[in-house]
Amino acid sequence: MAIELTDALIELERAAWAEQRENRLTLETAVGVQAAITAHAEATGQSRYEVERELKRIVRHPEPDAG
């Protein structure tokens, strides 16, 4: 079963990842992303762990464009 993610959730993780790479990740950002992941997982009946894993894969290791 494919993990469903929203654009808003992906954008939150992108912002957190950018902060982390720039060594300026705040507790507020990290907690916000985790809360959004948990809420999304509960609302969609998906595993929080699987949602977070897929979200990080998409943001941190995107597939190269085929073209």
Side-chain angles (χ1 to χ4, degrees):
M1 178 167 111
I3 299 296
E4 297 176 21
L5 302 172
T6 64
D7 291 341
L9 195 56
I10 293 169
E11 287 306 312
L12 277 174
E13 178 62 23
R14 282 187 179 138
W17 182 232
E19 286 184 20
Q20 189 171 353
R21 285 189 325 232
E22 295 167 3
N23 207 24
R24 61 179 185 87
L25 179 64
T26 64
L27 181 59
E28 181 180 347
T29 299
V31 168
V33 171
Q34 287 299 310
I37 289 169
T38 300
H40 178 75
E42 289 175 356
T44 59
Q46 300 178 94
S47 160
R48 189 206 59 79
Y49 170 78
E50 293 296 327
V51 167
E52 183 173 4
R53 186 176 65 118
E54 181 65 5
L55 183 60
K56 287 183 177 183
R57 185 193 67 77
I58 286 172
V59 170
R60 298 178 185 195
H61 309 286
E63 306 228 351
D65 291 334

